[in-house]
Amino acid sequence: MPPPPDFDYYKELQLGRIAPAEDIKNSYRRLALIHHPDKNPENRVAATAAFQKIQTAYETLSDPRARAIYDARSSCSTTLPSSGRSPFDSEDDNDDDDNDVDDDFDDDFDAEKTFADFIHGQFGRGGPPGYSSQGYSGFGPFFHDGNFGFYSHRMDPEEMRKREEEREKAKEASRQRMANEIRQRMEREEALAKARKEAKMAEEKQRMAEKEGREMAERAKNEKIWVAEQAITQEEKQRLCLHSEVWSKEKFPKKVKCEACGQKRGIVGYRCPHCALLTCQVCLNKFNEARKAP
C-alpha cells in the first residue's frame, strides 16, 4: 500500500476541505502562475518543488473518486495508533512485502465500503451520532446521498426548493400587503373627497333654503302692504315694495334704462323678484343702504 501523502493537499491549494470543484480549479491556476519555475528563475529548485506539490494536489482533488479516497485516508490518519498501521490494512498485510496485491490502492480501494467499515470499527455497528446506512444525515451539508467521506458544499435540492418557496411566499405577502395599503389609502381618499362633496352640497342646499325662506318672508310683507294700501298696478306695487335682499342680475345687448332713476348707465341691470323693478347698480346700492337703516 502506498504511504499517505506527507503534505495536506487542501492547505497546499489554500482551500477548505469542503471547497467546490470551481474553487479548486481557480486556486490551482492562481498558485501555478505564482510558483511555476519559469516565473522564478532565481530560485528554480524551490519553485519546482512547490509547483510539483500544487500539481499533485490538483490532480487528486479535481478527480471526485480520487478526492473521496484522499479524504477518507486523511480523515482516518488522525486516529492512527503510534505503530502507523492503517485501519484499512488487513491483519495479514505486510508493509515490507513487495508483492502486496493491494499496492495499487487507487484501483482496488472501495472508498464507501472501507470507510463504512472503519466507522463501524471505531464507533460500533451503530456508528457515530447522525450516521445511518444512507450516510451522515446528521452532519448537514458535509455528507449526503450515502457518499461516505465525500464532502459537498451544496444544499439539499429539496431544502433549496423549500427555501425558494418560502422566499416567494414572503415576496407575495409583501406585495399583497403593499396592495392592501394602496387600496386602503385610495378608499380613504375617495371617502374624504365624497364627504367634502356632500358637505359642500349640504351647505349649498342650506344656503338656498335660507334664501328661499327670506324671499318668502319678504314677499309676505310686501303682500300685506299692497293689500293695506290697495296697490293694484305694477307702478303702485313698485313704489310701495320693500324690495328683496337679493336681486337677480340681467345682461342686455345695449344700455338699459333704469326704472328707478331713468338713466342709462350700462348693459347690466338688477331686477327685484317681488315687484319686477329693473334698476342700475347705483340705485341698487341706495335700496340696500335704505334696508340697513333703522
Side-chain angles (χ1 to χ4, degrees), residues 58-70:
Y58 173 70
E59 290 176 354
T60 300
L61 298 183
S62 61
D63 183 352
R65 183 174 183 276
R67 182 180 181 182
I69 296 172
Y70 172 75

Side-chain angles (χ1 to χ4, degrees), residues 172-221:
E172 182 63 24
S174 178
R175 287 193 291 265
Q176 289 293 336
R177 184 167 56 254
M178 292 180 64
N180 291 337
E181 291 177 357
I182 294 173
R183 186 182 67 256
Q184 292 174 2
R185 183 168 64 249
M186 293 178 64
E187 290 176 352
R188 288 194 298 268
E189 292 176 355
E190 291 177 357
L192 182 60
K194 184 178 179 180
R196 290 175 178 173
K197 184 178 179 180
E198 292 177 350
K200 186 176 181 180
M201 293 176 62
E203 182 180 353
E204 183 67 19
K205 185 176 181 180
Q206 179 68 21
R207 185 166 58 250
M208 293 297 296
E210 292 176 356
K211 179 182 176 180
E212 291 177 358
R214 289 194 302 270
E215 290 181 354
M216 290 178 63
E218 291 171 350
R219 180 172 291 275
K221 289 181 180 180

Side-chain angles (χ1 to χ4, degrees), residues 221-240:
K221 289 181 180 180
N222 285 323
E223 291 287 348
K224 187 176 181 180
I225 294 174
W226 292 337
V227 170
E229 297 293 334
Q230 296 182 354
I232 299 175
T233 64
Q234 187 72 18
E235 291 77 8
E236 291 175 342
K237 290 182 177 181
Q238 289 179 351
R239 180 176 54 83
L240 297 173

Side-chain angles (χ1 to χ4, degrees), residues 80-86 89 95:
L80 290 176
S82 59
S83 63
R85 188 175 185 83
S86 170
D89 295 339
D95 292 339

Side-chain angles (χ1 to χ4, degrees), residues 3 21 59 89 106 143 148 165 204 210 222 243-244 267:
E59 290 176 354
D89 295 339
D106 291 341
F143 299 88
F148 300 100
E165 290 180 353
E204 183 67 19
E210 292 176 356
N222 285 323
H243 301 303
S244 174
I267 62 174

Side-chain angles (χ1 to χ4, degrees), residues 13-278:
L13 291 180
Q14 300 178 0
L15 297 170
R17 301 190 70 84
I18 61 173
E22 187 66 21
D23 290 353
I24 293 174
K25 182 187 294 185
N26 294 336
S27 182
Y28 165 70
R29 291 178 177 177
R30 177 176 59 83
L31 295 173
L33 289 175
I34 296 174
H35 297 287
H36 196 280
D38 293 342
K39 299 289 184 179
N40 300 272
E42 297 179 357
N43 195 10
R44 183 176 294 272
V45 176
T48 300
F51 182 78
Q52 289 176 347
K53 287 185 177 182
I54 296 170
Q55 184 71 21
T56 301
Y58 173 70
E59 290 176 354
T60 300
L61 298 183
S62 61
D63 183 352
R65 183 174 183 276
R67 182 180 181 182
I69 296 172
Y70 172 75
D71 288 342
R73 294 179 61 190
S74 59
S75 63
C76 293
S77 64
T78 58
T79 61
L80 290 176
S82 59
S83 63
R85 188 175 185 83
S86 170
F88 303 122
D89 295 339
S90 64
E91 295 180 357
D92 296 335
D93 283 343
N94 186 351
D95 292 339
D96 296 332
D97 187 359
D98 295 336
N99 296 321
D100 190 350
V101 295
D102 292 330
D103 281 348
D104 191 0
F105 181 81
D106 291 341
D107 293 335
D108 296 336
F109 176 67
D110 187 336
E112 179 175 336
K113 179 179 178 181
T114 308
F115 188 59
D117 292 341
F118 165 71
I119 291 296
H120 292 154
Q122 294 294 317
F123 298 96
R125 298 305 298 179
Y131 173 80
S132 69
S133 61
Q134 300 300 322
Y136 284 83
S137 58
F139 287 0
F142 294 100
F143 299 88
H144 69 90
D145 298 335
N147 293 323
F148 300 100
F150 197 119
Y151 294 100
S152 173
H153 71 289
R154 295 174 299 178
M155 188 181 297
D156 181 73
E158 182 64 20
E159 182 67 21
M160 293 177 65
R161 184 186 63 79
K162 290 182 179 179
R163 292 194 179 186
E164 185 64 25
E165 290 180 353
E166 291 175 357
R167 284 193 292 267
E168 288 300 327
K169 289 181 180 178
K171 291 180 181 179
E172 182 63 24
S174 178
R175 287 193 291 265
Q176 289 293 336
R177 184 167 56 254
M178 292 180 64
N180 291 337
E181 291 177 357
I182 294 173
R183 186 182 67 256
Q184 292 174 2
R185 183 168 64 249
M186 293 178 64
E187 290 176 352
R188 288 194 298 268
E189 292 176 355
E190 291 177 357
L192 182 60
K194 184 178 179 180
R196 290 175 178 173
K197 184 178 179 180
E198 292 177 350
K200 186 176 181 180
M201 293 176 62
E203 182 180 353
E204 183 67 19
K205 185 176 181 180
Q206 179 68 21
R207 185 166 58 250
M208 293 297 296
E210 292 176 356
K211 179 182 176 180
E212 291 177 358
R214 289 194 302 270
E215 290 181 354
M216 290 178 63
E218 291 171 350
R219 180 172 291 275
K221 289 181 180 180
N222 285 323
E223 291 287 348
K224 187 176 181 180
I225 294 174
W226 292 337
V227 170
E229 297 293 334
Q230 296 182 354
I232 299 175
T233 64
Q234 187 72 18
E235 291 77 8
E236 291 175 342
K237 290 182 177 181
Q238 289 179 351
R239 180 176 54 83
L240 297 173
C241 184
L242 298 176
H243 301 303
S244 174
E245 181 181 353
V246 179
W247 296 55
S248 61
K249 185 177 181 180
E250 296 182 6
K251 190 174 182 179
F252 298 89
K254 59 181 181 179
K255 287 186 178 181
V256 62
K257 183 179 179 180
C258 176
E259 296 177 355
C261 64
Q263 298 184 17
K264 294 182 178 181
R265 298 182 184 275
I267 62 174
V268 177
Y270 299 90
R271 192 178 297 278
C272 176
H274 304 310
C275 65
L277 180 68
L278 182 63

